[in-house]
Amino acid sequence: MKGGAGDDVAGMSTTPAFAFDNSYARLPARFHARLDPTPVAGPRLIKVNRALAREMGLDPAALESAAGVAVLAGNAVPEGAAPLAAAYAGHQFGHFVPALGDGRAILLGEVVGPDGRRRDIQLKGSGPTPFSRRGDGRAALGPVLREYLVSEAMHALGIPTTRALAAVTTGEEVFRETALPGAIVARVASSHIRVGTFQYFAARGDIEGIRILADHAIARHYPEAATAENPYRAFLEGVVARQAALVAQWLLVGFIHGVMNTDNMSVAGETIDYGPCAFMDAYDPGAVFSSIDHGARYAYGNQPRIAQWNLTRLAETLLPLLAPEEEPALEVAKQALTGFGPAFQQAYIGGLARKIGLAAVQDGDADLAQDFLTLLAEAGADFTLAFRALGDDDALRVLFADPAPLDAWLARWRARLEADPQSPAQRQAMMRGANPAFIPRNHQVEAVIAAAVSRQDFGPFEELLAVLATPYEDQPGAERFQLPPKAEERVLATFCGT
Ligand code: AMP
Ligand code: MG
């Protein structure tokens, strides 16, 4: 195609082609509000995620063209889109809110890529919707860059997550505590069905709505459940298993979601809604960064417990589908929820074992790994650096003011390695693949945002994004991105910025 799909012969750009197939828009009208994004004054491209665009069967050059940027900014609605704001409810910090919904995001539609995967394309920051309360439906540049960086870092770390397809600035200001540059992120997800979406229908006594939603979620995310003896039980078990594995993966890289409200939990098992999220530097099971998490409800080490709490809320909505009578339905729900603990433990302990170089988990390994974590907590050692340095005693010892307890642990560890079947080379490869060198450290993310907001300099964003794309590889020249913050660089609180 001459000049790429985005440009016609005269060099004028035409709207990029999306092969939309909008299954969520085809659900009954009470599932959503149909509306277009609100145009912005001066859209400018920050970035198109070319690799993701290609995976989705989209032409990156067309997205980068003026017509593509118009779509990404919400100024043009492409052919075949069915823009909508989804209805959902949710428990926010434990308090139920029966009507939340997409208040600053609009789903453009779904595309099925050449890989056969169906993905939502959603514009976040695209203007008011019937679900916007107080807010303006807009997003500031800082949170947009944060979501782009952290979600792409999570993906590169191998953790299920929504993705960032693109980001644009709007040429408009949004007003938070101060006026800030506005921006929009094009978010890609397997779907945007949340625990809170089920709660929306449950709160209205709309059992038919719950059934339609569950059937839709099963078809999209758990097709094997459709042929199970009890499809809704199989669905619940599937969500439980995926969330257990997801939270284990979060813990293994030091990720703190920050706002694990039920409306921020995807039934597809992807990390979603990056707000005041953070990666911890020094290991601390009680770590909290979110400025709004006063009760430390969503602290690092609380995340498994909260996931289970959220899944219990999901199970409650499914009760009418699980069995015709209440008592047996409760029994089915309880049994499905008991799957969380073992699934989490298996993923977490297995992951910790890989981080310390053990291929096969034996009795005592969980304690061995836990004792290392306790040493890190006592020393305030950097979580990421410590695991990456394991095996290089000199590099590891400098992280500890008093290396004596570490040396004692290292002796136990080496004794245990004797009984592990892997060769040293195999072990090293496994450990490097389990212990990233690079994570999106808060102080670096903040520096990227500061450069973009105060100087319109997106160079640091590009640089950090590139480093985070291969987090398990040593990257000569990028060593400074491995460094924890100096005292004066430490980020003590993160904000959702909405
Ligand atoms: P979140 O903090 O992203 O989980 O959002 C919680 C709820 O607040 C959701 O219903 C959002 O759509 C809504 N919300 C967040 N920010 C805004 C905003 N700037 N304008 C309107 N609604 C918003
Ligand atoms: Mg949310």
Side-chain angles (χ1 to χ4, degrees), residues 111-491:
V111 296
V112 180
D115 56 4
R117 285 178 57 185
R118 174 180 297 272
R119 296 175 177 91
D120 278 5
I121 304 176
Q122 192 203 56
L123 301 181
K124 190 168 172 185
S126 51
T129 77
F131 303 107
S132 307
R133 304 143 304 130
R134 304 182 305 276
D136 49 16
R138 293 297 183 190
L141 178 57
V144 163
L145 294 180
R146 172 185 289 276
E147 170 148 359
Y148 198 125
L149 280 169
V150 182
S151 67
E152 287 302 303
M154 291 289 268
H155 173 72
L157 287 164
I159 300 177
T161 178
T162 64
R163 305 282 310 270
L165 176 63
V168 298
T169 49
T170 60
E172 295 179 358
E173 290 184 325
V174 298
F175 297 91
R176 299 294 178 256
E177 266 126 52
T178 53
L180 294 166
I184 296 173
V185 58
R187 170 163 75 179
V188 166
S190 293
S191 83
H192 285 83
I193 306 167
R194 303 148 191 275
V195 169
T197 318
F198 284 86
Q199 291 180 292
Y200 180 85
F201 296 102
R204 284 155 185 78
D206 183 355
I207 296 170
E208 191 53 27
I210 299 170
R211 188 185 303 277
I212 292 167
L213 182 63
D215 288 342
H216 178 86
I218 287 170
R220 274 178 90 161
H221 305 304
Y222 302 89
E224 65 289 351
T227 52
E229 197 184 311
N230 183 338
Y232 304 110
R233 176 193 180 135
F235 167 64
L236 178 59
E237 287 169 346
V239 181
V240 167
R242 283 194 205 171
Q243 283 295 336
L246 179 67
V247 173
Q249 285 184 282
W250 289 356
L251 297 197
L252 292 166
V253 297
F255 178 75
I256 305 159
H257 182 284
V259 212
M260 288 178 71
N261 293 336
T262 56
D263 52 306
N264 293 338
M265 184 186 259
S266 157
V267 301
E270 291 174 343
T271 313
I272 192 170
D273 277 6
Y274 291 86
C277 58
F279 278 76
M280 63 187 184
D281 298 297
Y283 179 71
D284 169 12
V288 175
F289 289 89
S290 168
S291 60
I292 52 174
D293 190 4
H294 305 296
R297 179 181 172 89
Y298 300 137
Y300 170 81
N302 268 355
Q303 296 181 112
R305 207 170 55 75
I306 291 292
Q308 221 169 351
W309 192 90
N310 289 349
L311 290 163
T312 306
R313 306 287 82 76
L314 174 65
E316 285 164 359
T317 72
L318 296 174
L319 287 175
L321 309 186
L322 291 174
E325 306 287 338
E326 193 177 325
E327 278 304 316
L330 276 168
E331 198 45 48
V332 172
K334 271 188 205 151
Q335 278 185 23
L337 291 166
T338 57
F340 186 91
F344 171 77
Q345 285 300 328
Q346 197 197 4
Y348 182 61
I349 302 300
L352 276 179
R354 280 192 299 283
K355 285 176 87 71
I356 64 170
L358 300 173
V361 181
Q362 295 183 357
D363 279 355
D365 290 348
D367 290 338
L368 183 67
Q370 186 54 56
D371 290 346
F372 185 61
L373 290 174
T374 302
L375 288 179
L376 297 186
E378 283 167 5
D382 187 85
F383 179 75
T384 304
L385 285 183
F387 276 100
R388 186 74 174 183
L390 198 51
D392 177 348
D393 290 359
D394 293 337
L396 187 56
R397 289 174 106 239
V398 299
L399 303 175
F400 292 78
D402 172 14
L406 172 68
D407 289 340
W409 185 87
L410 286 171
R412 276 171 67 203
W413 177 57
R414 293 223 155 82
R416 170 65 184 88
L417 293 184
E418 303 279 317
D420 200 68
Q422 294 187 104
S423 71
Q426 284 173 321
R427 175 170 307 124
Q428 199 193 19
M430 186 181 73
M431 289 175 70
R432 291 167 60 84
N435 296 317
F438 299 97
I439 52 163
R441 293 185 184 267
N442 302 321
H443 67 294
Q444 284 154 354
V445 173
E446 292 304 325
V448 159
I449 291 171
V453 171
S454 65
R455 307 194 299 275
Q456 292 77 52
D457 179 3
F458 292 90
F461 167 73
E462 293 282 352
E463 199 180 3
L464 182 56
L465 191 62
V467 167
L468 294 171
T470 53
Y472 296 106
E473 282 169 30
D474 289 324
Q475 300 179 44
E479 290 80 4
R480 70 189 171 88
F481 291 106
Q482 287 185 265
L483 298 179
K486 301 190 192 99
E488 69 276 15
E489 290 174 328
R490 267 176 67 190
V491 174

Side-chain angles (χ1 to χ4, degrees), residues 11-25:
M12 300 270 296
S13 58
T14 53
T15 304
F18 297 83
F20 281 116
D21 175 41
N22 305 317
S23 66
Y24 206 79

Side-chain angles (χ1 to χ4, degrees), residues 1 3-7 16-17 48 50 53-54 56-64:
M1 204 183 308
D7 298 295
V48 165
R50 295 186 134 240
R54 279 189 289 266
M56 295 173 66
L58 306 174
D59 176 2
L63 288 174
E64 288 166 351

